[in-house]
Amino acid sequence: MTLPQQCIGWIGEVYRRMGRQLDMGVALFSAFRAAGLTPQMVGLTRITAANDEAGIDFLVESVRSLLPVVVKLGIATEEIVGIDSLRQRLLEEAASDDHCVFYPRLVGAWATVP
């Protein structure tokens, strides 16, 4: 498992354990229909090189913001996460690979009353 995958796994596990819908964008259509609404939807995702520093910063700061919960829930220890060196480790791993990164999908929805 790559380091970016591990980071995404920590984030996803926090959401799962807190009972959050991991991919609510996929569920929006049926949620709107269940409410008797006619949904209109749009979505997008950004795809960049693995060494895109903005994407790495986004991932590091996401992990940093959830770190107390990651530790409290026993998902990972502070030592395993290594937040102070996480950015550099991600940059090093990205430099040694030739792949792209898909940012989280952004989904918007609106409805009209039938």
Side-chain angles (χ1 to χ4, degrees), residues 19-100:
R20 300 293 186 258
Q21 173 77 27
L22 288 177
D23 198 355
M24 187 58 196
V26 172
L28 280 176
F29 187 85
S30 61
F32 275 53
R33 297 285 290 173
L37 301 171
T38 303
Q40 301 295 314
M41 298 180 68
V42 65
L44 68 100
T45 190
R46 181 175 171 204
I47 305 168
T48 66
N51 64 353
D52 174 54
E53 290 193 33
I56 288 172
D57 290 343
F58 176 79
L59 185 55
V60 170
E61 294 309 314
S62 296
V63 172
R64 185 185 313 278
S65 71
L66 293 172
L67 186 56
V69 181
V70 167
V71 172
K72 181 178 181 180
L73 294 176
I75 296 167
T77 64
E78 287 188 21
E79 294 76 23
I80 289 172
V81 173
I83 197 68
D84 292 333
S85 65
L86 184 58
R87 183 179 193 278
Q88 185 59 40
R89 290 182 289 133
L90 285 164
L91 284 169
E92 288 168 5
E93 186 168 314
S96 67
D97 202 354
D98 189 26
H99 64 276
C100 65

